[in-house]
Amino acid sequence: MLRVILRAAASASALGKSTLVSTTVATTNSTAYHLISSRTFASKKAKSSASKGGNKAQPKSNAKTKSKHEDIVASSSVDDAVHDLISDEKNRRRLLDEDERNKSLDVGPNGRPLFTSAASLSELGRKDACTYMKFSRNKLEEMLPERLPVGMVKEFEESMRDALLVRHSFLDLRDNFRRLVDPPLQSSNSKGLTAQKQIVLDGPVSCGKSIALAMLVHWARDEGWLVFYVPEGRSWTHGGLFYKNPETGLWDTPVQAANILQDFLKFNESNLMKLPCKVFDPIPLGEGAGVGRMKDADSMAMPEGSTLYDLVQTGITTTHASVGVVVRLREELALVKDIPVLIAVDQYNSWFTFTEFEEPMTVRSSRSIHAKEVATVNAFRSMMHDNMMVGAFSHSTAVGKLRKDLPDVPTNARVMFPRYSLDEAAVVSHYYLRQRLIRREAFSDEAWKKLYYLANGNGSEMRWLLPFMR
């Protein structure tokens, strides 16, 4: 824990965030003080027993002086430790910059190349599995403007390189959707499997589901697809304002609806301008964010010749129409035939449990509102359709274990996403060695295999444990 706190303080200091450093140091001071206090207590107890033999107790003023001295020593020790960590981080960055000139270090297990030569996710083949692919952070943020997965960002920060492992499981996922759009195109490793239009990625904690989903979205957008990407499904059911719509019986969340539309517009603006609206029924108006309902209108119609871009802009600028536009957008996406459409939802399991919203029942009681009762979730949750859709479970949202057969999800849609295999762990260990997370003199096959089995293939736990290799 102390190591993590100090590392956070070092990173913040390197970025010039002095406030975060002071807070972290203060927390660490408290930890160090407790450790020193426990030792002091033991020594005091010994002196107390000695005093029974006739020694006089020390005056209170001496005890206060000693306590102040301990605080100063603890603070000085922590400051020195933080300074050393900052120096180590800077030194590591400097050494990694020097290592870039030495290509002989880019070697994985059995002398294989550690990095792939493929320039894009579309070019990756089975021969590129168990290698690392380098990315540009700016390019990633351009392709995924909604948000980068937390696990991806943490991997980049800890390894000090924007690179990700190419896994067989990701290639299987990509090739599944590739075959749907281009049936004659068969992967060299498809083994005659039937492509699925709806997939739910399930699996243990930290097995890479969110990263694989984000990479699938990146690939699809590279291919020119229209992708509706939800990096944080839980945000649809938590926070903001909520009102019950008497006409639909569902709960409207205008703040979240506006955010959903803004995120969708970030990357897809050019495609949306080319796609005409095909549903011209009036859009129902609900309560706006904190402003109630309109008095003179309960619906609005889109002008003839409107595009999906115009529809989304209407939902962003008119708070009363935000929820209605999100629901209408789902209908419109189902009718798009000019380009492939993919709906990708992370934290998909949070749509099968209760929200943080509550409906008052009596003066003293209320009931929890289920996610399926939220209008936006109700519109996008179902997979019982002919559209391409992939959802990823997230076990960091504390949803709990769901039943195997989920409502509105095909029985064969659930796919178990694996943790690292032994071959993948070998490449990961050599990569962290290359990135100086592991001391070269301490590295051995036996050592990394022990840590692999200890972590049970958990990627984040392996990244945390490998630097302790001795």
Side-chain angles (χ1 to χ4, degrees):
M1 182 63 185
L2 184 60
R3 172 177 169 271
V4 175
I5 294 173
L6 291 174
R7 179 174 291 176
S11 301
S13 179
L15 293 171
K17 297 181 180 176
S18 57
T19 306
L20 181 57
V21 172
S22 61
T23 306
T24 310
V25 170
T27 307
T28 317
N29 276 339
S30 176
T31 306
Y33 176 73
H34 285 308
L35 292 173
I36 292 173
S37 296
S38 64
R39 297 193 189 100
T40 307
F41 178 76
S43 62
K44 282 183 179 179
K45 192 170 184 180
K47 289 181 181 178
S48 176
S49 60
S51 66
K52 291 180 180 179
N55 292 336
K56 295 182 179 180
Q58 292 183 349
K60 290 184 179 180
S61 59
N62 290 346
K64 289 181 180 179
T65 304
K66 188 172 182 180
S67 177
K68 288 180 180 179
H69 176 69
E70 289 168 357
D71 288 342
I72 294 171
V73 171
S75 177
S76 176
S77 301
V78 171
D79 289 342
D80 290 343
V82 171
H83 181 270
D84 290 343
L85 270 175
I86 294 171
S87 300
D88 289 344
E89 295 287 326
K90 289 181 177 178
N91 187 49
R92 183 179 161 216
R93 286 189 183 276
R94 180 182 60 79
L95 292 173
L96 287 174
D97 290 339
E98 293 176 1
D99 290 346
E100 284 298 308
R101 306 186 192 97
N102 187 0
K103 298 302 179 184
S104 63
L105 296 174
D106 299 342
V107 178
N110 303 318
R112 289 189 59 199
L114 193 57
F115 298 98
T116 179
S117 58
S120 69
L121 292 168
S122 299
E123 296 178 14
L124 292 174
R126 294 291 162 176
K127 61 181 177 57
D128 298 302
C130 290
T131 61
Y132 272 81
M133 185 172 186
K134 299 177 184 178
F135 292 91
S136 162
R137 181 71 69 95
N138 291 335
K139 179 67 174 176
L140 276 175
E141 291 174 350
E142 178 186 333
M143 299 302 294
L144 302 168
E146 296 89 348
R147 196 193 72 172
L148 297 182
V150 174
M152 181 189 293
V153 174
K154 193 170 183 180
E155 167 70 17
F156 291 165
E157 291 175 350
E158 293 284 334
S159 64
M160 292 189 180
R161 182 189 287 274
D162 297 342
L164 294 171
L165 180 68
V166 179
R167 304 184 64 189
H168 284 290
S169 46
F170 164 72
L171 296 177
D172 291 339
L173 183 66
R174 181 205 64 180
D175 291 345
N176 174 81
F177 288 99
R178 176 183 272 175
R179 293 196 302 274
L180 287 171
V181 175
D182 191 1
L185 181 65
Q186 291 295 324
S187 170
S188 60
N189 198 32
S190 64
K191 300 178 182 178
L193 297 176
T194 304
Q196 296 178 228
K197 285 191 173 183
Q198 298 85 27
I199 289 180
V200 176
L201 298 178
D202 196 0
V205 178
S206 297
C207 65
K209 300 181 292 294
S210 296
I211 293 178
L213 183 67
M215 289 299 94
L216 179 69
V217 172
H218 190 316
W219 166 77
R221 286 176 171 172
D222 271 340
E223 296 289 298
W225 294 18
L226 179 65
V227 183
F228 185 90
Y229 177 42
V230 183
E232 198 174 1
R234 186 175 181 272
S235 65
W236 288 33
T237 60
H238 289 70
L241 306 171
F242 60 102
Y243 312 98
K244 189 163 188 176
N245 190 320
E247 296 178 6
T248 63
L250 300 175
W251 294 84
D252 290 351
T253 50
V255 175
Q256 284 95 330
N259 291 335
I260 291 165
L261 296 171
Q262 287 169 359
D263 282 347
F264 184 50
L265 198 61
K266 286 177 181 176
F267 183 85
N268 299 295
E269 183 174 336
S270 58
N271 278 331
L272 294 176
M273 287 181 173
K274 303 172 188 174
L275 298 171
C277 290
K278 296 183 179 179
V279 181
F280 293 99
D281 295 337
I283 298 172
L285 301 178
E287 293 195 34
V291 294
R293 299 181 67 90
M294 282 188 176
K295 295 182 179 179
D296 54 348
D298 57 3
S299 65
M300 66 181 295
M302 293 298 298
E304 239 182 276
S306 298
T307 63
L308 292 188
Y309 173 80
D310 299 323
L311 176 66
V312 172
Q313 281 288 10
T314 299
I316 293 173
T317 56
T318 309
T319 182
H320 299 87
S322 295
V323 175
V325 167
V326 172
V327 175
R328 175 62 54 81
L329 180 63
R330 179 66 188 91
E331 298 176 35
E332 291 283 2
L333 291 177
L335 299 174
V336 174
K337 305 299 179 185
D338 299 334
I339 58 175
V341 177
L342 174 68
I343 300 172
V345 184
D346 201 359
Q347 300 180 358
Y348 184 58
N349 50 336
S350 62
W351 290 1
F352 293 89
T353 185
F354 290 94
T355 69
E356 73 170 4
F357 310 140
E358 293 186 347
E359 178 184 15
M361 302 303 291
T362 66
V363 177
R364 297 184 180 180
S365 65
S366 61
R367 73 171 186 91
S368 296
I369 298 172
H370 198 276
K372 67 182 179 182
E373 299 178 70
V374 177
T376 52
V377 174
N378 184 270
F380 277 87
R381 189 181 81 159
S382 175
M383 286 190 175
M384 306 302 286
H385 48 66
D386 198 43
N387 308 124
M388 290 186 290
M389 182 172 177
V390 56
F393 282 6
S394 173
H395 297 291
S396 61
T397 54
V399 168
K401 191 173 180 64
L402 299 174
R403 66 187 193 187
K404 186 176 180 180
D405 297 326
L406 295 173
D408 303 322
V409 175
T411 54
N412 64 337
R414 208 157 174 173
V415 174
M416 296 303 294
F417 206 79
R419 285 180 172 175
Y420 287 152
S421 65
L422 194 63
D423 290 338
E424 289 173 334
V427 177
V428 168
S429 301
H430 281 78
Y431 173 69
Y432 289 151
L433 175 66
R434 165 68 179 79
Q435 294 305 114
R436 293 183 175 271
L437 272 174
I438 307 172
R439 293 189 305 167
R440 193 164 291 276
E441 62 273 15
F443 185 79
S444 68
D445 285 347
E446 182 183 0
W448 72 253
K449 284 180 181 178
K450 285 181 180 178
L451 294 180
Y452 165 72
Y453 289 117
L454 179 63
N456 195 24
N458 183 311
S460 60
E461 288 186 11
M462 280 191 66
R463 186 176 59 239
W464 185 80
L465 286 169
L466 284 169
F468 292 104
M469 190 181 292
R470 294 291 183 268

